Amino acid sequence: MCGIVGYIGGKQAAPLLLQGLEKLEYRGYDSAGLAVVDAGNGGIIVKKARGRLSALKKMTDCGKSIPGILGIGHTRWATHGEPNDVNSHPHLSRSGRVALVHNGIVENYAELRQYLCEQGYGFVSDTDTEVVVQLIDHYYENDPVAAVRRAADQLRGSFALGIVFADRPDLFIALRKDSPLIVGLGEGENFIASDVPALLAHTRRVIRLGEREMAVVTREGVTVYDHFGVKLEPEVLEITWDAESAEKGGYEHFMLKEIMEQPDAVRRTIAPRVRGDFTIELGLRRLTDDVLRSLDRICIVACGSSYHVGMVARYAIERMARVPVTVALASEFRYDNPMIGPETLVIIISQSGETLDTLFALREAKERGARVLSIVNVVGSSIAVESTDVLYTWAGPEIAVATTKAYSTQLALMQLFTLYLGRVRGRLTDLEAREEVRSLLATGDKLAELLKDTSHLQYLASLYFNRRDIFFMGRNIDYALALEGSLKLKEISYIHSEAYAAGELKHGTISLIEPGTLVVALCTGTKLHEKMLSNIREVKARGATVIALTTKPIPLDPNHPNANPDHIIELPACCELCAPSLSVVPLQLLAYYVALLKGCDIDKPRNLAKSVTVE
Ligand code: M6R
């Protein structure tokens, strides 16, 4: 959710902080703010503005009007209190001695607030964060580390914090629990940020703070302590993303750029894991072949689009590896007394590796003795670190809130894992597995072919961008894809949309179909073509306009033209395993072009944030 940056060094802090926040705006864009330590006057300058970062930039002349070489910044996704100037971060303590930025939710803020009120503290905002800054202030007696530790020990919930002190122009403090925070190491300057893109212009050497770890950041260096105050020797990671990969590169939106990057992203994810003889090398360390053979069942847990990947994967795993699979929403799983144990493999899918619901589900699974394999895009993220084994998708940084290339790479990797599992468990012969792998390797090229010409999707978008309701329907894997197509459309275009298992429509939802309703019918599962055609006829009979998506020609009814789909999108021929990777692309493009024509803010849709680090 919110984005945090911090800087100490020899340069003017505010312009650097704003540049960093620009790269994190996808994490929250309700308001933005800066706090810079004014060493000359012994105070903290705080500037904040409701709305997009541009308002803050204007207010501060791109940061130039704020002196100082040490500061913190924030871009907010509101949780407690409406997005206004007062509720924006940074928050300053009553005495003006401490300022902080926060990502997460402090669950016991009401009782702490009560306690502080009894101590004479007053509050100006509706936020949980103001409680934290006052609490640190309350404990501050010239020892920043002791005050922060004492306050943090009293916090329940999740937090990543960046904290500055008016009388300490030589340092700032960062710490985290259940919310991401990384430290960037420079030469004579050091940084903190919620995510890598904010640091790429300055350094590629980072430390990912672990749970409840605290960093004391000075110009000269960074000292990391664990929860008990023991000094640690943290691992320094080298980020391999190039700075351009987090830029738009000539595209109007990150989303379109990321859609277009899918062929390469999928190739990067699959090819290095396939040997010359088409056998698979996953490089799992703890989930050995023996462990994979001993599994009773698999439970896939994720949120949003990652959950939709899990739904597609279920069909493939059950068909090719014959292991029973359940797919659970992470936010439900934890509170559902899940029936899992040592013989269950829990597969966690997450682009960010920081989604809080998913992280908590992972911990629940481990507590119940399950082994956890995670499919993650962000190297070293909390989910990756806490899993039994991790397989990284090599999608590169994904900036647009609506996921596209992360979805495709998750899907491709799950398919590769499925083939590996099927082979290890003897459900696929060596020959069958190699043939499937060979076809899977062609996905990148097929995607590239598909993306060469998007004009048909632009045309369809121009016909239907002003529809009030758009339905998606499909059967089996196509149903899972319908869910993703519908989510993509609604999150960026704000058009009401629902996805239905095509056979289920007549059990209620068909009452919503009326003349002019647009229905996108996914018909890539060739075995169910005829069933889908019946469902298309059912909605056509009620006046719907139908776009059908197929992998082979649909047998049209020449005698009843009105019963046929109005438009057909035909995908390049491909193997069954690759079909979902291809089918999702027209759905992504349709959503994109519809949102474009509606003038929506595609990369930063309202109310959403890229990384959802609250429950
Ligand atoms: O980072 P994660 O994959 O864990 O995120 C899960 C969902 O929040 C995410 O897929 C969300 O649904 C996307 N905005 C969909 O485009």
Side-chain angles (χ1 to χ4, degrees):
M1 305 245 113
C2 312
I4 289 178
V5 291
Y7 173 79
I8 183 165
K11 302 182 190 127
Q12 190 181 2
L16 284 177
L17 294 171
L18 285 170
Q19 285 156 20
L21 288 180
E22 233 164 37
K23 305 284 182 238
L24 295 184
E25 226 192 339
Y26 63 87
R27 299 181 69 88
Y29 26 87
D30 291 337
S31 62
L34 296 176
V36 176
V37 175
D38 183 4
N41 297 311
I44 300 174
I45 305 165
V46 176
K47 296 281 175 203
K48 40 197 192 177
R50 187 202 159 140
R52 297 291 161 95
L53 192 62
S54 50
L56 183 66
K57 283 169 83 177
K58 199 163 163 210
M59 178 193 275
T60 61
D61 189 16
C62 290
K64 286 186 228 134
S65 68
I66 309 178
I69 54 164
L70 157 61
I72 49 179
H74 190 266
T75 169
R76 179 172 186 241
W77 187 87
T79 58
H80 293 60
E82 63 173 281
N84 58 25
D85 287 353
V86 177
N87 289 333
S88 304
H89 300 214
H91 287 277
L92 192 62
S93 68
R94 181 190 59 170
S95 67
R97 295 189 301 168
V98 189
L100 67 72
V101 286
H102 169 217
N103 175 14
I105 290 181
V106 176
E107 287 166 1
N108 58 336
Y109 82 101
E111 67 193 62
L112 292 172
R113 189 171 166 136
Q114 175 67 29
Y115 166 74
L116 287 163
C117 285
E118 284 160 15
Q119 308 304 310
Y121 281 85
F123 289 84
V124 290
S125 79
D126 307 317
T127 64
D128 50 341
T129 304
E130 198 185 358
V131 170
V132 186
V133 77
Q134 305 283 35
L135 198 60
I136 295 172
D137 182 281
H138 180 54
Y139 292 132
Y140 188 41
E141 287 166 6
N142 302 321
D143 183 347
V145 171
V148 170
R149 180 163 300 123
R150 201 161 163 204
D153 279 347
Q154 294 188 37
L155 305 180
R156 280 204 311 273
S158 57
F159 48 85
L161 300 169
I163 310 151
V164 293
F165 299 83
D167 60 353
R168 293 304 300 260
D170 57 328
L171 61 78
F172 68 97
I173 291 183
L175 83 160
R176 68 165 287 250
K177 173 185 172 282
D178 298 332
S179 281
L181 201 58
I182 55 180
V183 179
L185 304 174
E187 296 294 327
E189 56 183 4
N190 290 301
F191 309 79
I192 58 165
S194 298
D195 202 355
V196 170
L199 300 177
L200 282 179
H202 309 287
T203 181
R204 272 144 212 290
R205 296 175 62 235
V206 305
I207 297 168
R208 286 193 179 273
L209 289 182
E211 274 299 276
R212 288 192 170 274
E213 285 177 8
M214 176 196 286
V216 178
V217 187
T218 66
R219 272 180 78 163
E220 294 75 33
V222 177
T223 314
V224 179
Y225 300 94
D226 74 3
H227 179 43
F228 304 102
V230 177
K231 202 168 150 191
L232 303 171
E233 291 294 331
E235 186 188 358
V236 177
L237 300 168
E238 196 72 36
I239 300 295
T240 52
W241 295 350
D242 57 82
E244 289 75 50
S245 59
E247 302 293 338
K248 279 192 204 148
Y251 286 95
E252 196 176 346
H253 296 99
F254 277 111
M255 182 177 176
L256 187 59
K257 176 181 176 244
E258 288 160 6
I259 289 174
M260 295 300 174
E261 283 173 348
Q262 290 180 109
D264 280 344
V266 166
R267 287 185 196 114
R268 256 197 322 269
T269 300
I270 297 297
R273 293 174 163 120
V274 175
R275 298 193 192 96
D277 61 356
F278 298 107
T279 55
I280 302 167
E281 168 78 70
L282 290 181
L284 296 171
R285 286 176 304 141
R286 299 192 193 96
L287 294 168
T288 60
D289 290 356
D290 282 342
V291 171
L292 295 179
R293 270 189 282 272
S294 71
L295 300 172
D296 274 1
R297 52 186 288 243
I298 291 176
C299 181
I300 303 177
V301 188
C303 299
S305 295
S306 300
Y307 169 77
H308 297 155
V309 170
M311 289 185 67
V312 176
R314 178 175 82 79
Y315 292 104
I317 296 175
E318 292 197 336
R319 187 166 64 80
M320 294 186 149
R322 302 304 293 160
V323 187
V325 182
T326 49
V327 190
L329 287 167
S331 52
E332 291 290 309
F333 177 85
R334 187 179 176 210
Y335 303 104
D336 203 21
N337 196 7
M339 290 177 59
I340 56 170
E343 281 75 40
T344 317
L345 175 67
V346 170
I347 303 182
I348 296 278
I349 306 179
S350 175
Q351 185 283 130
S352 60
E354 300 291 351
T355 302
L356 203 66
D357 287 322
T358 315
L359 179 62
F360 285 166
L362 179 161
R363 291 182 185 160
E364 180 71 31
K366 280 177 75 180
E367 258 170 43
R368 288 171 187 257
R371 295 175 170 98
V372 179
L373 170 65
S374 62
I375 308 289
V376 173
N377 193 39
V378 178
V379 175
S381 53
S382 304
I383 289 175
V385 168
E386 294 188 31
S387 302
T388 314
D389 253 314
V390 54
L391 289 175
Y392 286 112
T393 49
W394 299 117
E398 192 180 63
I399 309 293
V401 166
T403 180
T404 52
K405 63 175 179 172
Y407 174 95
S408 307
T409 51
Q410 289 168 348
L411 199 57
L413 194 49
M414 282 305 294
Q415 285 156 334
L416 194 70
F417 175 74
T418 300
L419 295 177
Y420 188 78
L421 192 66
R423 182 70 201 107
V424 164
R425 293 175 68 99
R427 294 290 177 169
L428 290 174
T429 64
D430 189 37
L431 193 66
E432 284 167 339
R434 285 177 204 233
E435 274 312 304
E436 293 288 353
V437 169
R438 196 194 289 265
S439 311
L440 196 58
L441 279 172
T443 312
D445 293 347
K446 303 259 179 200
L447 282 168
E449 191 185 328
L450 193 59
L451 285 165
K452 261 191 207 146
D453 182 6
T454 62
S455 55
H456 190 42
L457 272 312
Q458 294 187 46
Y459 168 68
L460 291 176
S462 74
L463 295 181
Y464 302 117
F465 73 96
N466 54 7
R467 291 295 157 105
R468 195 192 56 187
D469 306 296
I470 301 184
F471 286 78
F472 289 75
M473 65 176 184
R475 288 169 178 260
N476 288 2
I477 285 188
D478 279 338
Y479 169 48
L481 281 158
L483 288 165
E484 177 60 9
S486 172
L487 177 65
K488 214 83 306 170
L489 183 84
K490 62 190 145 202
E491 71 179 328
I492 60 168
S493 76
Y494 317 141
I495 292 178
H496 166 251
S497 172
E498 291 187 36
Y500 261 83
E504 184 63 15
L505 214 60
K506 59 187 174 294
H507 295 287
T509 311
I510 201 162
S511 64
L512 295 176
I513 304 290
E514 53 186 29
T517 306
L518 181 65
V519 177
V520 180
L522 286 96
C523 316
T524 70
T526 46
K527 282 184 211 129
L528 295 167
H529 244 172
E530 285 179 1
K531 303 281 174 212
M532 278 304 298
L533 277 173
S534 306
N535 298 135
I536 288 174
R537 284 180 191 128
E538 285 160 15
V539 293
K540 286 285 300 177
R542 285 152 183 92
T545 308
V546 173
I547 300 176
L549 193 72
T550 70
T551 41
K552 72 167 198 185
I554 288 187
L556 299 177
D557 182 346
N559 300 318
H560 302 94
N562 284 343
N564 294 325
D566 300 83
H567 309 276
I568 296 179
I569 303 172
E570 217 169 296
L571 298 167
C574 65
C575 68
E576 223 179 310
L577 206 60
C578 306
S581 301
L582 301 188
S583 326
V584 75
V585 172
L587 306 182
Q588 297 167 343
L589 287 168
L590 185 67
Y592 175 79
Y593 287 118
V594 164
L596 190 67
L597 288 165
K598 289 192 73 189
C600 298
D601 192 345
I602 293 180
D603 286 336
K604 300 185 194 101
R606 70 181 177 212
N607 302 339
L608 296 178
K610 180 72 182 161
S611 177
V612 184
T613 52
V614 294
E615 247 196 298

